[in-house]
Amino acid sequence: MAKVLHIISSTRGAESLTLTLGNAIIDRIKTKDPDTVVKEIDLSANPYPHLGPIQISSFFTPEESRTPEQELAVRRSDEAVAELQDADILVIGAPMYNYSITSSLKAYFDHIARARLTFRYSESGVEGLLKNKKAYIAFGSAGVFGNEQMQAYDFAVPYMKHFLGFLGITDVTVFRVEGTGIPGLQETALEKALESIAV
């Protein structure tokens, strides 16, 4: 039985194409393994706070020494890390906003990048601790960034792949719904993205 963590970062709700693409990826996973269990995290409906002094101090204070305020500040981050550790597969819905990811997804990433929990420093460098997991990125953009001409302007997918690798998740597959703002491409963008799914 596979455990899937579906991270939704679009602000468009049911109209989101990355949500549709992410759900389709999960459907394919369930076709291969009908016992698959899915947990959703909707970052638009329930965003993580951007890191401030209280979160940072909580991260670096030993658990037994935290104040009640620090314990409250770190609780959601601890829960997010536990969910991630428990998952076998990540499906991340990530629309491109201004050439990068949504601020809600960045805030979530900041809460799961935890020294000694999801990565650690050693004499040989940084080691990701979330190994043996698979990630699928359902990426969406109004333009087309999967080609050589525009690839240099895509700061979203390379960042996500690097970040996941930093945590130890190196098996990452990207499916793209692109050209959603371009006449002549937008009409078939989702269909082509759905046809590209292979899990």
Side-chain angles (χ1 to χ4, degrees):
M1 178 184 72
K3 296 179 181 178
V4 175
L5 187 62
H6 187 190
I7 301 161
I8 302 163
S9 67
S10 173
T11 60
R12 299 186 63 200
E15 297 180 359
S16 166
L17 297 183
T18 56
L19 174 60
T20 301
L21 184 56
N23 284 334
I25 294 168
I26 292 170
D27 286 343
R28 296 290 179 88
I29 294 170
K30 285 182 173 179
T31 297
K32 292 179 69 174
D33 183 358
D35 294 326
T36 295
V37 176
V38 180
K39 181 177 180 59
E40 283 190 356
I41 298 177
D42 188 335
L43 300 178
S44 182
N46 193 19
Y48 284 74
H50 293 289
L51 296 187
I54 185 63
Q55 284 87 13
I56 296 297
S57 68
S58 302
F59 292 167
F60 293 99
T61 300
E63 187 175 350
E64 65 275 8
S65 302
R66 289 175 184 153
T67 65
E69 184 184 18
Q70 287 177 321
E71 289 178 0
L72 182 62
V74 80
R75 185 174 300 158
R76 281 197 72 196
S77 176
D78 284 346
E79 290 171 353
V81 169
E83 290 169 339
L84 199 55
Q85 291 170 332
D86 189 51
D88 303 303
I89 301 171
L90 305 183
V91 176
I92 304 173
M96 176 183 278
Y97 283 20
N98 301 314
Y99 297 99
S100 188
I101 60 174
T102 64
S103 62
S104 63
L105 184 55
K106 177 60 168 65
Y108 172 77
F109 282 171
D110 288 341
H111 279 269
I112 62 173
R114 297 279 301 278
R116 299 177 301 279
L117 293 179
T118 57
F119 72 94
R120 67 183 174 194
Y121 296 106
S122 68
E123 292 180 354
S124 58
V126 179
E127 178 188 0
L129 301 177
L130 299 178
K131 298 176 181 177
N132 302 314
K133 298 181 187 293
K134 171 69 182 176
Y136 296 100
I137 296 173
F139 176 73
S141 60
V144 177
F145 293 88
N147 58 40
E148 186 175 348
Q149 182 181 2
M150 294 296 292
Q151 205 168 39
Y153 299 98
D154 176 7
F155 301 101
V157 171
Y159 166 69
M160 287 186 284
K161 292 178 74 172
H162 178 80
F163 177 79
L164 292 170
F166 170 71
L167 300 184
I169 305 171
T170 56
D171 187 358
V172 181
T173 301
V174 181
F175 299 111
R176 297 171 178 263
V177 52
E178 295 190 301
T180 61
I182 302 175
L185 296 179
Q186 58 191 187
E187 296 83 2
T188 58
L190 180 59
E191 180 184 354
K192 288 181 178 179
L194 294 175
E195 288 176 350
S196 74
I197 297 173
V199 300

